[in-house]
Amino acid sequence: MLSNSTKVIAVALSMSFFLATIATAAEKAAVKESIKEAVKDPKAAAQKLIPKQVKKEGGSAGATAAAAKAFEKASAELYPKAKQEGNLIVYSVWDVEHLRVITEAFMKRYPGIKATYWQGRNPEIVTRALTEFQGGQASFDVVLSDNAPPVIRAAGAIMNYDTVQRDVLVLHDPTMPTVSLQIQALSYNTKKMKPADLPKSWEEVANPKYKGMVALDDPMRAGPLSSMLSGLKTQWQDDARYNKFLKGLKALNVPVHKSTSAMFRLVISGEYSICMPALLHDVMEEIHKGTPVGYVRTIPPVLFPRQAGIYVKAPNPNAAKLFAEWLISEEGQKTIDSVGRESARNDFKSKTSIDAAFGKGTKPLPVTDQLFLEDPKKWLDTYVKPIWEG
């Protein structure tokens, strides 16, 4: 019989989409067996009561000023305690160079706090964080990532923390600060496609006329296309429409890819005409280089949160909270923007802001489905797998 702590780990790992792609047959069998035990765990069930993420509308001058004031107050209160702690330990999926720039800027702003980081893939972060949680280890302070924080939170390993700057966030989760956004855009090779021939919506990509032209993300890997499907299903509230769209994508009969960046490179090279989907910061970087790529500005972008989840056993909780608040502050967002990652704020001006990239008044498509966020594998097995693999 598994212990309660082991059950928590098994639940979270089973929720993680990563195991669907990296586990051996034996590991998968073990996870399935663990799930049978884990469903009896009331602690895991209690996590389902976590409030849902909400989408905020555009910012205002008043909200910006109020957020700045709230940040300065929180900073003044947290810094002396964080300085006494002296350290900050971050686990992140972000590029090492990005982490270096961000942590150095944080240390410059707050002398006396030494920030270190460990970089890994999301599956490695989930496994390491939950193994340390199971062992009662006060080993890290913040997990900075997209998919990993909700999965870790569902196991009870993330403390609730609601940022004081909530009113300037595009997406706000009252339990974990959203510090950046993954913005998905429909990109294309400008030498292969004329603007008049492009899809006019995400839905239209499934039109048979695009057969063989689309570089398609694997919808079963819980990557960008998976989150898009979740967002569209939530928006449409129409199962027949959703099922028809998914069947249309399958009928395109193209290979699916497990790396968004690699898929985008194939569109750049001209092997495919359309990238379904691309990440906006990648597209903007290539446009800046003069690469023959563009994106459809009239198709609303899909938004997925990148969060700073604070570990429930954090050895430096004040430094963790200070880091999260600083990341959301204007200075922190400028640092995030400087490494090419999108801002989380609705009042931040940059080339990758939604207003700048898609036009003022654009209504983005946020991913807010709680089941998808915390148990992507279960969501995919329920709403994608029967059609995609049936």
Side-chain angles (χ1 to χ4, degrees):
M1 181 67 69
L2 295 175
S3 67
N4 286 338
S5 59
T6 302
K7 291 176 185 178
V8 170
I9 302 302
V11 170
L13 291 179
S14 72
M15 283 190 274
S16 175
F17 59 89
F18 312 114
L19 292 187
T21 56
I22 67 169
T24 65
E27 287 170 334
K28 290 179 181 178
V31 169
K32 288 180 179 178
E33 191 62 33
S34 298
I35 293 171
K36 294 177 183 179
E37 296 292 329
V39 293
K40 300 175 184 178
D41 184 8
K43 184 174 183 180
Q47 290 300 315
K48 298 303 180 184
L49 300 177
I50 294 172
K52 289 187 177 181
Q53 192 169 214
V54 295
K55 176 181 173 296
K56 299 283 186 175
E57 297 302 327
S60 66
T64 298
K69 185 176 181 180
F71 167 67
E72 290 303 329
K73 182 174 184 295
S75 177
E77 292 174 353
L78 289 169
Y79 180 36
K81 301 173 186 176
K83 188 175 182 180
Q84 188 171 13
E85 292 168 345
N87 293 288
L88 172 73
I89 306 166
V90 180
Y91 288 0
S92 182
V93 74
W94 290 14
D95 299 344
V96 168
E97 180 60 22
H98 295 180
L99 293 171
R100 183 191 64 77
V101 170
I102 289 167
T103 53
E104 285 184 358
F106 176 72
M107 289 188 289
K108 182 177 180 180
R109 174 70 167 80
Y110 296 104
I113 303 174
K114 181 180 179 180
T116 57
Y117 52 83
W118 174 76
Q119 193 266 359
R121 297 180 300 114
N122 272 312
E124 297 166 340
I125 293 171
V126 170
T127 301
R128 178 169 177 168
L130 294 182
T131 299
E132 291 168 350
F133 173 59
Q134 178 190 22
Q137 298 178 44
S139 48
F140 71 98
D141 299 303
V142 176
V143 56
L144 182 62
S145 185
D146 39 28
N147 301 86
V151 176
I152 297 171
R153 174 182 63 183
I158 295 294
M159 72 169 68
N160 286 353
Y161 180 71
D162 191 0
T163 172
V164 301
Q165 302 172 86
R166 64 187 71 86
D167 290 338
V168 294
L169 292 176
V170 176
L171 291 176
H172 169 236
D173 183 322
T175 69
M176 291 191 296
T178 300
V179 300
S180 179
L181 296 173
Q182 180 195 86
I183 302 180
Q184 301 173 23
L186 186 68
S187 181
Y188 64 98
N189 186 305
T190 56
K191 290 185 177 180
K192 301 275 290 185
M193 292 289 293
K194 296 179 180 179
D197 298 329
L198 290 167
K200 303 299 187 294
S201 66
W202 293 114
E203 196 170 7
E204 195 181 335
V205 176
N207 191 309
K209 70 180 181 180
Y210 297 117
K211 189 172 183 177
M213 303 169 63
V214 181
L216 195 65
D217 186 35
D218 184 352
M220 284 301 298
R221 77 178 183 95
L225 180 56
S226 306
S227 59
M228 177 194 297
L229 291 172
S230 170
L232 289 172
K233 192 174 191 303
T234 299
Q235 182 186 68
W236 290 345
Q237 294 294 302
D238 184 335
D239 288 345
R241 182 181 179 185
Y242 167 82
N243 291 340
K244 180 181 178 182
F245 174 58
L246 187 54
K247 289 176 182 177
L249 289 180
K250 182 179 179 180
L252 292 175
N253 197 28
V254 294
V256 294
H257 302 272
K258 298 185 181 298
S259 167
T260 311
S261 297
M263 183 176 72
F264 185 47
R265 301 307 302 179
L266 294 175
V267 174
I268 290 174
S269 70
E271 185 168 338
Y272 294 98
S273 301
I274 298 171
C275 191
M276 175 69 167
L279 303 184
L280 182 62
H281 66 84
D282 287 339
V283 179
M284 289 299 195
E285 182 178 351
E286 294 301 327
I287 290 175
H288 179 72
K289 294 177 182 177
T291 305
V293 294
Y295 65 99
V296 184
R297 289 171 169 77
T298 53
I299 296 180
V302 178
L303 307 183
F304 194 89
R306 292 172 172 144
Q307 295 169 309
I310 301 175
Y311 183 38
V312 72
K313 298 181 183 296
N316 309 293
N318 293 293
K321 294 172 184 177
L322 181 62
F323 182 60
E325 292 293 355
W326 176 80
L327 286 171
I328 296 172
S329 73
E330 185 176 355
E331 179 183 324
Q333 293 288 283
K334 285 181 179 178
T335 306
I336 288 174
D337 181 62
S338 73
V339 298
R341 294 187 177 272
E342 295 90 334
S343 170
R345 293 176 61 131
N346 55 30
D347 60 352
F348 190 81
K349 308 300 181 185
S350 75
K351 64 182 180 181
T352 56
S353 70
I354 295 169
D355 283 356
F358 294 90
K360 194 171 180 61
T362 295
K363 299 291 184 182
L365 178 64
V367 179
T368 59
D369 186 291
Q370 203 72 1
L371 176 60
F372 178 81
L373 291 171
E374 295 188 351
D375 194 342
K377 186 178 185 303
K378 182 176 181 180
W379 192 94
L380 293 170
D381 285 346
T382 303
Y383 299 113
V384 178
K385 187 175 183 178
I387 294 175
W388 196 258
E389 298 183 1

